C-alpha cells in the first residue's frame, strides 16, 4: 500500500517538477553508490569549452551534495516550490515554465564563468523560491515554528539560515538576483508605462510542451462531424450481416 501511495504521488507530480527532482535524486544516488564522482559533474569552463564536456552545463544543477541534512533540505524546498509554481502561475504553460528554467540557468552559467562556483543547484532552488514568493506576497510563512513572516521574505530567511550553518551566501544571492531579474522582466516591466514583454517563449518550446489550442473558427467537413459518424452498432451490423 505504501508503495502504491508513493507511486501515485510520484505520477501525480507535474511533468517538469517530476523530471527535475528525479534527475537530482538519481544523480545524487549515482555519486553515493560511486558510479560517478562529483569531479565529473562540477562546473568547469575550461573542461566545457576546451574538452567539450558539455554535460557539465547541466549536471552542475543536479548535484546537491552527499546524502545528509543539506541534501534533504534542498530537495524539500525544490520539490515544494517547483511544484507550486508549475501548478500555480504556470498551470497550462509548461513551455513558459521550461523557458524560465533555461533563462535562469543561462544567467547563472554566465555568472559562473566569472566566479569560482562549482554547483548551481542551490541557487536554482532559491530562484524558484524567489519567483513564487513574489507572486504570492500575502501568504504567511512559518519557518520551523520560530519565525512568522510574509512570503517575499522567504528567500532572505533561507539565506540567513544558510549563513548560520556556516555556508557561503554567494549562491543564495545569485539565486535571488536571477529570480529578481526574471520576475522584473516577466511581471513588472511589461506593466510599466512604455514597458513591454521582453521574455518571449520560443515557438518550438510551445510546440513540444504545450497542447495546441483548438481553433474556435475551425469548421470540420460534413463527413468529419460527430453526428455524421457511423455508430458502433451500425458498424457491427455491417461487419456481421444477418
Amino acid at each position: 500500500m505504501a508503495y502504491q501511495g508513493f507511486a501515485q504521488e510520484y505520477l501525480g507530480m507535474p511533468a517538469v517538477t517530476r523530471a527535475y527532482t528525479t534527475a537530482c535524486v538519481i544523480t545524487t544516488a549515482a555519486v553515493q553508490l560511486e558510479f560517478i564522482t562529483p569531479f565529473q559533474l562540477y562546473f568547469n569552463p575550461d573542461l566545457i569549452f576546451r574538452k567539450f564536456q558539455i554535460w557539465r552545463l547541466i549536471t552542475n544543477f543536479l548535484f546537491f551534495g552527499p546524502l545528509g541534512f543539506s541534501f534533504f533540505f534542498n530537495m524539500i524546498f525544490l520539490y515544494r516550490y517547483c511544484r507550486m509554481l508549475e501548478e500555480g502561475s504556470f498551470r497550462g504553460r509548461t513551455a513558459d515554465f521550461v523557458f524560465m528554467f533555461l533563462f535562469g540557468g543561462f544567467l547563472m552559467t554566465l555568472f559562473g564563468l566569472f566566479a569560482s562556483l562549482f554547483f548551481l543547484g542551490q541557487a536554482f532552488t532559491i530562484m524558484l523560491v524567489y519567483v513564487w514568493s513574489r507572486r504570492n506576497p500575502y501568504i504567511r510563512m512559518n519557518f520551523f515554528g520560530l519565525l512568522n513572516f510574509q512570503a517575499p521574505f522567504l528567500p532572505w530567511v533561507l539565506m540567513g539560515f544558510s549563513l548560520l550553518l556556516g555556508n557561503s551566501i554567494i549562491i543564495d544571492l545569485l539565486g535571488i538576483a536571477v529570480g529578481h531579474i526574471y520576475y522584473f522582466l516577466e511581471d513588472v516591466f511589461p506593466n510599466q508605462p512604455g514597458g513591454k514583454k521582453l521574455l518571449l517563449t520560443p515557438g518550438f518550446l510551445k510546440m513540444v510542451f504545450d497542447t495546441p489550442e483548438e481553433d474556435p473558427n475551425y469548421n470540420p467537413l460534413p463527413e468529419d462531424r460527430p453526428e455524421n459518424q457511423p455508430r458502433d452498432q451500425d458498424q457491427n451490423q455491417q461487419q456481421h450481416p444477418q
Side-chain angles (χ1 to χ4, degrees):
M1 294 296 294
Y3 171 76
Q4 292 179 349
F6 174 79
Q8 185 176 5
E9 175 66 21
Y10 177 76
L11 295 176
M13 295 168 58
V16 178
T17 301
R18 182 170 65 244
Y20 186 39
T21 53
T22 300
C24 293
V25 171
I26 290 177
T27 302
T28 300
V31 172
Q32 198 72 18
L33 296 172
E34 299 183 352
F35 293 141
I36 56 177
T37 71
F39 295 104
Q40 297 172 287
L41 307 174
Y42 75 99
F43 181 78
N44 186 318
D46 288 336
L47 293 177
I48 291 172
F49 297 111
R50 294 183 181 179
K51 300 293 185 179
F52 302 106
Q53 297 182 5
I54 306 299
W55 67 84
R56 294 177 183 272
L57 291 171
I58 299 176
T59 56
N60 80 91
F61 288 98
L62 303 180
F63 184 64
F64 287 81
L67 289 178
F69 174 77
S70 178
F71 170 76
F72 288 108
F73 184 81
N74 279 289
M75 282 296 98
I76 290 172
F77 273 83
L78 172 62
Y79 164 76
R80 176 178 174 82
Y81 291 97
C82 188
R83 179 167 187 169
M84 287 197 297
L85 272 177
E86 190 170 2
E87 293 181 337
S89 58
F90 285 98
R91 177 180 289 274
R93 300 168 51 218
T94 303
D96 293 339
F97 195 46
V98 172
F99 183 63
M100 186 189 76
F101 270 54
L102 297 176
F103 177 78
F106 175 74
L107 289 185
M108 292 179 191
T109 300
L110 282 182
F111 185 84
L113 294 175
F114 305 100
S116 299
L117 300 177
F118 302 120
F119 294 100
L120 298 171
Q122 184 178 338
F124 197 86
T125 300
I126 294 294
M127 179 195 75
L128 296 174
V129 171
Y130 184 91
V131 174
W132 177 87
S133 69
R134 293 304 299 265
R135 290 182 171 179
N136 298 272
Y138 302 111
I139 293 182
R140 295 286 297 174
M141 309 293 296
N142 183 285
F143 191 71
F144 291 132
L146 300 175
L147 294 174
N148 293 292
F149 50 88
Q150 299 290 108
F153 291 100
L154 179 59
W156 304 100
V157 172
L158 293 178
M159 186 181 71
F161 183 69
S162 181
L163 186 62
L164 288 176
L165 293 178
N167 300 326
S168 172
I169 62 173
I170 297 298
I171 287 289
D172 299 80
L173 288 173
L174 175 59
I176 291 173
V178 173
H180 182 74
I181 291 172
Y182 177 84
Y183 172 75
F184 178 80
L185 294 178
E186 180 70 13
D187 294 8
V188 177
F189 183 69
N191 298 315
Q192 299 296 316
K196 63 178 181 179
K197 187 175 177 63
L198 298 177
L199 298 180
L200 301 176
T201 303
F204 76 91
L205 289 180
K206 291 183 177 292
M207 291 177 59
V208 173
F209 294 103
D210 288 350
T211 302
E213 298 180 359
E214 294 186 2
D215 185 358
N217 298 319
Y218 173 67
N219 187 22
L221 296 173
E223 58 269 23
D224 293 333
R225 294 173 184 169
E227 62 269 17
N228 293 328
Q229 296 294 322
R231 298 181 180 179
D232 293 340
Q233 182 178 0
D234 296 337
Q235 292 178 344
N236 292 334
Q237 290 178 353
Q238 293 175 4
Q239 293 175 0
H240 305 283
Q242 299 295 331

